[in-house]
Amino acid sequence: MTSDTQSESRNERKPKLSERIISGLREQILNGAFAPGQKLPTEGQMTETYGVSRTVIREAITSLAADGLVESRQGAGVFVLDHPAHAFSALKRENKKVSQAINVLEVRMGIEIESAGLAAVRRNAGQEARIQEAFFEFERMLNLGQPTGKADFAFHLEIASATNNPFYVEILEALGDRTIPCDVTSPWYSPEVLTFDYLTGLQREHLLILNAISAGDAEAAREAMRAHLSAAQDRYRKRMIGQQADYLVERRQALTPKT
């Protein structure tokens, strides 16, 4: 390989300055640091903040505008637009309806089945290591009798990160860790469901996903994730059926004449 080719290769691997600015601003917008309708800092302010030229800032703003996240208004500045991630904000609110948990799991299936397959073929060594670390953190918290929800969310988030497609990560982050039912902080927490055996079963499902990703088997990774999230849906459907059964028992008792 010639020195010119090596130089071109290094330049291709190194992210452009504008990409770094785009990533930072996108994250702040999607996380709500800049709310819809809010004006972004001026070009001059951003050049000082990021230590880049106005050209780089303009390139970043153009990209964010193309994504529908911001809008330049002549003579007024750049303003944040309402964006799809805000539609997920309702999922972070306190909502104890089991139907909400089922709906969230359905959305996650549409995202995470494919992300598992992509992670199996795209992950690098560091990303695979982080998935494993999250898996073993879940195991550690389980054995300590501590809440496992954050480790569970980290496991799924690291898989999304291993797709090397930032939108998978952004969507999961928008959904938030409260969409993980198996934690005492979840609005769908139920002590009769959240048992050691229940969590051990989840970890077995996680292991199948992890093994498939580590083996580079995209189809097996997809099927393992599908089975994992489908099983969670089934558990919540059973809870709804149980609630109906409890209601019928209570109604019969209330209508039974007392002697």
Side-chain angles (χ1 to χ4, degrees):
M1 182 182 292
T2 66
S3 60
D4 289 343
T5 304
Q6 289 174 338
S7 177
E8 290 174 2
S9 178
R10 283 194 298 270
N11 290 335
E12 288 174 358
R13 287 195 296 269
K14 184 178 179 180
K16 294 171 63 178
L17 287 174
S18 60
E19 291 175 356
R20 178 167 61 84
I21 310 304
I22 292 166
S23 177
L25 288 173
R26 179 183 285 116
E27 183 176 353
Q28 291 182 74
I29 291 170
L30 294 176
N31 287 342
F34 293 116
Q38 183 175 347
K39 182 180 176 180
L40 290 183
T42 65
E43 280 186 9
Q45 290 170 329
M46 285 194 279
T47 57
E48 291 184 9
T49 299
Y50 293 103
V52 296
S53 68
R54 288 177 180 265
T55 300
V56 171
I57 296 298
R58 288 168 187 161
E59 188 176 343
I61 294 301
T62 299
S63 178
L64 292 171
D67 289 342
L69 294 176
V70 300
E71 176 184 61
S72 294
R73 299 175 188 171
Q74 187 67 33
V78 180
F79 293 82
V80 176
L81 297 175
D82 199 2
H83 50 83
H86 285 284
F88 293 108
S89 61
L91 298 176
K92 295 184 179 181
R93 299 174 191 152
E94 189 74 14
N95 189 326
K96 295 185 178 181
K97 293 181 180 179
V98 175
S99 60
Q100 181 85 339
I102 293 173
N103 288 341
V104 170
L105 286 164
E106 185 175 271
V107 171
R108 288 180 59 199
M109 287 179 71
I111 299 163
E112 294 194 66
I113 291 171
E114 183 60 19
S115 74
L118 292 175
V121 296
R122 293 181 179 176
R123 88 277 182 221
N124 59 38
Q127 290 166 334
E128 184 177 343
R130 287 191 291 274
I131 296 171
Q132 292 189 30
E133 287 168 355
F135 172 86
F136 286 113
E137 178 63 10
F138 185 108
E139 184 76 13
R140 187 178 75 86
M141 299 305 287
L142 175 61
N143 291 329
L144 289 173
Q146 298 295 315
T148 57
K150 290 189 181 301
D152 194 336
F153 184 68
F155 177 76
H156 288 272
L157 195 63
E158 291 298 349
I159 291 172
S161 180
T163 67
N164 291 300
N165 181 335
F167 290 107
Y168 281 104
V169 175
E170 288 177 8
I171 292 172
L172 275 192
E173 287 180 337
L175 287 171
D177 59 1
R178 290 180 65 79
T179 64
I180 300 295
C182 60
D183 191 60
V184 294
T185 62
S186 169
W188 308 299
Y189 163 72
S190 176
E192 69 272 14
V193 173
L194 195 62
T195 63
F196 182 84
D197 288 342
Y198 171 88
L199 295 173
T200 300
L202 289 183
Q203 188 68 329
R204 284 196 296 267
E205 294 167 8
H206 287 160
L207 181 60
L208 292 175
I209 298 168
L210 174 61
N211 286 343
I213 291 174
S214 295
D217 190 333
E219 193 54 39
R222 291 188 184 98
E223 286 307 310
M225 183 65 80
R226 186 191 308 277
H228 175 52
L229 297 177
S230 295
Q233 277 192 318
D234 289 342
R235 284 187 282 267
Y236 277 91
R237 289 193 181 99
K238 288 177 182 177
R239 280 183 63 182
M240 293 186 72
I241 294 171
Q243 289 174 351
Q244 294 169 9
D246 290 342
Y247 169 78
L248 291 174
V249 170
E250 291 173 1
R251 289 295 297 165
R252 289 193 191 100
Q253 291 174 346
L255 294 174
T256 300
K258 293 182 174 60
T259 57

